[in-house]
Amino acid sequence: QVQLLESGGGSVQAGGSLRLSCAASGSTSTSFYRAWFRQAPGKEREGVATIHIHSDGSATYADSVKGRFTISLDNANNTLYLQMNNLKPEDTAMYYCAAEEGLLGIIAGILSPAKYTYWGQGTQVTVSS
């Protein structure tokens, strides 16, 4: 099993930046895709960005954040990051990190919540105009 703990959320003005962190512990050796999702009140959870542990830096992003957000994974300390620049009010949401369980072989899009088995508790990001 994998345990995930997000941190780094907060309140910023539009145009500002935040960096979210997600520390992973437990049996992560078979968790290959790691991702960030977000969910605003009354809206569906949406995939923000995902990265494979062997991606050598390549990642997949939602169109809404492409060019503004960067996902990265530090394999040495098993920490996932989301660097968020040029934040907009519509980025306001609870942000969750997620990890798949590769042993399950779940066939789903890599930005689909269904792909992921393990979830953090979330960290709030609020962007004011």
Side-chain angles (χ1 to χ4, degrees), residues 11 15 17 28 68 70-71 74 86 90-91 95 97-98 114 117 127:
S11 298
S17 298
T28 62
R68 299 188 298 120
T70 303
I71 188 172
D74 185 343
N86 300 314
E90 52 262 43
D91 296 318
Y95 282 71
C97 64
T117 298
V127 185

Side-chain angles (χ1 to χ4, degrees), residues 50-94:
T50 188
I51 191 168
H52 193 278
I53 60 171
H54 302 308
S55 69
D56 195 27
S58 63
T60 300
Y61 298 91
D63 289 342
S64 59
V65 306
K66 193 172 296 183
R68 299 188 298 120
F69 291 8
T70 303
I71 188 172
S72 61
L73 178 66
D74 185 343
N75 284 306
N77 61 9
N78 218 347
T79 300
L80 185 72
Y81 299 97
L82 185 67
Q83 178 66 47
M84 304 185 294
N85 297 326
N86 300 314
L87 282 161
K88 303 175 180 179
E90 52 262 43
D91 296 318
T92 295
M94 185 74 73

